[in-house]
Amino acid sequence: MIRRLDLLETADDGITESEVFRLALQHSIAELGCVGGAVYLRGPMSALRLVSSTGLPSSVTRAWEIVDQDGPTATARAVRSGEHVWVAALPSDLEEPTAPLLSRSGWFAVPLVHEGRAIGAITCLTGDNQEPPPEQRAFLGAVADWTMNRLQKMPAPERMRTDLDATPVGSWEWDVRTGELKWDQVAMKVYQTEPGQFVPGVETWMKVVHPDDLASTLAAAERTIRTHAPFEAEYRVRRNDGGYTWTRASGHVVLDDEGQVARIVGKGWASDAARSTRDALSRALRHMSDAFLSVDDDWRITFANLEAERILGTSGEQLLGRDLWDLPALSHVPDLEDRCRRGAAHSTAAAFDITLADTGRWYDLRLVPVPGGLTVYFTDVTERRRREAEQAAAVRAAAERATRTAELTTQLAAATTSEDVVTAVAQRVLPPFGAQGLLVLVIEDQKLAHIGSVGYPDSFLRQMHGDHGRDLADAGPAGEAILTGEPRFYSSREEWVTAFPDAKSLPPTGMEGWAFLPLTASGHTFGVCVIAFDTARHLTSEERTLLITISALVAHALERARLYEAELTRSEELQQALLPRGLPTVPEATAAARYLPAGQSLDVGGDWYDLIPLSAGQVALVVGDVMGHGLSEAATMGRLRTALHTLAALELPPDEIMGHLNDIVGGLGDHAYATCLFALYDSTDGSCTVVRAGHPPPLVVRPDGSTYFPEIAVNPPLGAAFPPFETTELELPAESLLVLYTDGLVESPQREIDQGMAQLAGLLGGAAGSPDPEDLCDSVTEGLLPGGPTSDDAALLIARLHHVADRQVASWALPEGPEAAGEARRHVREQLAQWHLDDLVMTTELLASELVGNVIRHASGPIGLRLLCSGTLVCEVSDASLTMPRIRRATDTDEGGRGLQLINALCERWGSRYTPDGKAIWTEQALPDDSEAPGEDPDQDFSSRS
């Protein structure tokens, strides 16, 4: 507060009165936190006149330029009392439209005192309706003292006189009830009346007013009395020489205690100079280049310049007094009246475009509110709008091309094949340029070959490159574009023929314009993209630049796609090499399988299947899935499949095999996982031992066509499991179907795995009688994956299980002494004779004798012998020992160690496996070509078993 006063004291001594008032108001408002303020000085006839204001709109100051000194306002009371006055806001139910200073905010006024007499006041409008505290009252009083000190220091001619008798503005007061009219001295000069001739009545005023202006002026006064609105009028008064001069008057009403108008207090001044200025302005408006109209509050035209008359096609006399939207030239403008009224309703300037139907030209119509109506400007913007439309069209075209280029870039980034690239170019490049043909040629084996096209007949494609490509030297503009690395543009057939008159390079029929764009990536030009038009087409420099830019994008995308295709081919070849080339033919099962790679995926998957023949009527069926996609996953699949073959050949139990596989996957890293299902089927008794590690259960289709998913013990996936693995024993009827699959077959983003498994069962229900598993595989893949896998690869293995007939198996219990070998030979001779396998008797006797002798010498009983004839002849000897035989090289001096070497020489293959009671050693021999399995002759009866 003190700092503000110190700042005021630093003001220059030569500042003007208006500057003094401005500084006083600004600091007062800032210190008190007010929204506005005003300075009033005392004038004649109990009038306080506004001399400065800050923060108050003209709607307030215009109505309160003169304030009645005897009124209730804070300003009047401060001047009358010579003290600080606070006036709070009036109650909300009090309507006082003519007294905005007494509206919704409080007013605080401090008098300006000169020689003990209040000559005016500083009044501040508070925004929060809170009375200022004592320190703020003291500050405003100090500001008032500073203001008066500054005014007194000014030279007399420059200082505003408190009575304001030097101003050309006169004051008047009219008692509307008695008709009494009071003028001050200045008002008498304004109204050309000598003081001695003045009679204080309204009749005196009416005598000096020009007869033509009297009616309108009285009407304005009557409107003020009726509505309490401010009084505004301009009229002519008679001079002493008989002529007339223009004057203006304004005022406001003073109400009595009952709210009725008692007086009108106002001011008047000569306006000849302003009138002359307005006349000059009117002449300037009359001849201005833009069309100009003025309308009153009822939208009737009161003025029109020459340009407005020309545009509207109507003379000035015919325009005056008519409604704006009733003019013929504007009557067809849509919603003109509504648009004008909406624009004027906000009391601010508004503008919008219109089009005149007669001329088709565009105009910017601007509405500017003024007292008593509006001014209307018409500016011809036809050329500007045309240029803007052309620019907008160019911008839209550029934006569309940019959008399509962005879309092309996105689509090319997702393209994985050459066909995808050609499709993207056809969809995103041809339409914006109005092209109809697309041809993509690349160099393959030093020839120019076609890899994709749109809009070209097959006959032309054969003409372009034949069946084996075309030499670059004979390829015309396409070859030239590749050899030079520069684009070639031909707007018409004539340009092509002129450049290449050789008949071999004639342009194709049906096309009239071409763009040959070389495809260059990594500094190497490997092809050309040809865009063709069915009409003559001259490409602008901007279009050519854009096409060249697009060709670079296409070249890189095409190079990536060709690399992808090559990589995909290698990956698929690797995966196919890792999968079985074909399932083995075994008597225990008739099987078929399918592998479906993931659609449009760069990475191969890790799904696999297998069927592994084992000994003594056993066969292993396997399906697995390495988590993830890629060459490393495919390699892991190959490792697991190889390991599984090795472990199965050792005839380890299924749970031990799965344990070893778990160790292998665990050794690949923390993020390596695989699922697997291993089923060991024994055709001699129909038993099936199943173990699964994180894999979906198998589907069993019974011979009657019913289906079910057996309850198989669940183990964690390989790489996350902790052995031992739990197995499940199944009994499967002969000719049942055992279906193994991976999750990619039954699960997809659109289908839950349970739904897929149910659909799989539905497809195979009733299919048990179908003889060909190949047909069943086709039905399943078409039913579950009609379009092929989309996000994951899939594997399927379907096996029809067969049982070994009783007549194909013979078994005996042997004594534990040395006589066991002889008894074994006898059983072999007798059984092979029944099976008509006499050619194998000697070899089989020797094998059985050697196996039994090995048991007697190195193991312990009980001893069992079994012969199995199903595709091959199996001779098997079992004992109670868990020690497995090992073949070794015997030296010349060794007495033993040659038995297994003999066995290995006599049979095709041999091996050993653990049994629930010990182990079994088996040999396998091929049947003679002309022999039949015992089960194939229904007249034979080989049911002998001991």
Side-chain angles (χ1 to χ4, degrees), residues 157-499:
E158 301 296 331
R159 187 174 67 247
M160 180 176 292
R161 297 178 176 83
T162 56
D163 60 359
L164 298 175
D165 56 359
T167 181
V169 179
S171 299
W172 52 266
E173 182 178 331
W174 178 32
D175 190 327
V176 299
R177 296 174 178 174
T178 64
E180 180 183 7
L181 180 64
K182 298 179 182 179
W183 286 348
D184 62 6
Q185 296 294 327
V186 179
M188 291 185 183
K189 293 179 181 179
V190 171
Y191 295 119
Q192 305 292 316
T193 303
E194 294 295 335
Q197 299 175 351
F198 175 72
V199 176
V202 71
E203 294 81 4
T204 302
W205 170 78
M206 295 173 63
K207 289 179 181 180
V208 300
V209 176
H210 193 289
D212 293 343
D213 301 334
L214 185 58
S216 61
T217 307
L218 289 175
E222 176 62 28
R223 184 167 56 251
T224 296
I225 295 173
R226 185 177 66 256
T227 64
H228 298 183
F231 172 73
E232 294 281 348
E234 185 174 20
Y235 47 88
R236 289 164 290 180
V237 299
R238 186 176 60 250
R239 295 196 303 265
N240 293 329
D241 60 3
Y244 286 88
T245 183
W246 283 94
T247 63
R248 289 184 63 85
S250 65
H252 66 276
V253 300
V254 177
L255 305 179
D256 59 15
D257 295 339
E258 297 179 356
Q260 300 298 318
V261 177
R263 294 173 295 159
I264 299 179
V265 177
K267 59 184 179 179
W269 63 95
S271 62
D272 266 342
R275 189 76 181 191
S276 299
T277 302
R278 287 197 298 274
D279 290 342
L281 178 60
S282 178
R283 287 192 298 273
L285 292 175
R286 181 70 175 166
H287 296 280
M288 69 184 296
S289 59
D290 286 346
F292 176 82
L293 296 173
S294 64
V295 298
D296 59 16
D297 291 333
D298 295 324
W299 296 93
R300 288 189 296 270
I301 299 175
T302 59
F303 177 83
N305 69 354
L306 294 176
E307 183 64 14
E309 295 175 7
R310 186 189 68 79
I311 291 176
L312 300 176
T314 307
S315 64
E317 293 78 7
Q318 295 175 328
L319 288 174
L320 298 179
R322 298 184 65 175
D323 288 344
L324 180 63
W325 33 79
D326 289 340
L327 299 176
L330 300 177
S331 59
H332 298 293
V333 178
D335 303 324
L336 178 62
E337 181 177 355
D338 291 341
R339 295 160 74 183
C340 288
R341 292 188 182 278
R342 285 198 303 269
H346 299 291
S347 299
T348 57
F352 50 86
D353 281 2
I354 64 171
T355 305
L356 298 187
D358 296 341
T359 62
R361 300 191 69 83
W362 285 84
Y363 291 91
D364 176 46
L365 188 147
R366 287 185 298 121
L367 302 173
V368 181
V370 297
L374 296 98
T375 58
V376 184
Y377 299 85
F378 291 83
T379 303
D380 192 334
V381 294
T382 303
E383 296 304 322
R384 188 197 310 170
R385 295 294 183 263
R386 183 176 294 115
R387 289 193 300 271
E388 291 174 352
E390 293 173 353
Q391 293 173 356
V395 170
R396 284 195 300 272
E400 182 179 358
R401 286 195 295 268
T403 300
R404 288 187 178 270
T405 302
E407 294 172 349
L408 172 65
T409 303
T410 302
Q411 194 165 348
L412 289 177
T416 55
T417 65
S418 300
E419 182 180 355
D420 293 341
V421 175
V422 174
T423 301
V425 176
Q427 293 177 348
R428 304 299 181 186
V429 178
L430 298 189
F433 289 91
Q436 289 74 36
L438 172 65
L439 182 66
V440 181
L441 306 171
V442 297
I443 300 175
E444 293 182 356
D445 298 329
Q446 304 302 317
K447 299 284 187 177
L448 196 58
H450 151 263
I451 63 170
S453 65
V454 172
Y456 285 94
D458 293 339
S459 58
F460 168 73
L461 298 178
R462 288 192 296 271
Q463 175 189 349
M464 283 293 294
H465 58 76
D467 296 331
H468 305 288
R470 190 172 184 180
D471 292 332
L472 288 177
D474 299 331
E480 183 176 306
I482 294 177
L483 293 174
T484 63
E486 297 293 334
R488 294 290 184 267
F489 300 95
Y490 302 99
S491 303
S492 63
R493 298 175 66 86
E494 290 74 16
E495 288 189 14
W496 180 315
V497 173
T498 301

Side-chain angles (χ1 to χ4, degrees), residues 693-776:
H695 204 84
L699 172 67
V700 176
V701 183
R702 299 185 180 94
D704 61 2
S706 61
T707 62
Y708 73 100
F709 291 95
E711 294 290 337
I712 306 298
V714 180
N715 298 285
L718 301 177
F722 296 94
F725 286 82
E726 185 177 356
T727 61
T728 301
E729 298 292 335
L730 302 177
E731 295 293 333
L732 301 179
E735 304 308 311
S736 297
L737 291 179
L738 184 62
V739 182
L740 281 63
Y741 54 91
T742 59
D743 58 355
L745 182 72
V746 294
E747 186 178 27
S748 70
Q750 296 78 30
R751 180 177 57 203
E752 297 291 337
I753 189 171
D754 293 341
Q755 297 173 337
M757 292 170 61
Q759 191 174 353
L760 172 64
L763 289 171
L764 292 176
S770 178
D772 191 358
E774 295 285 348
D775 295 339
L776 295 178

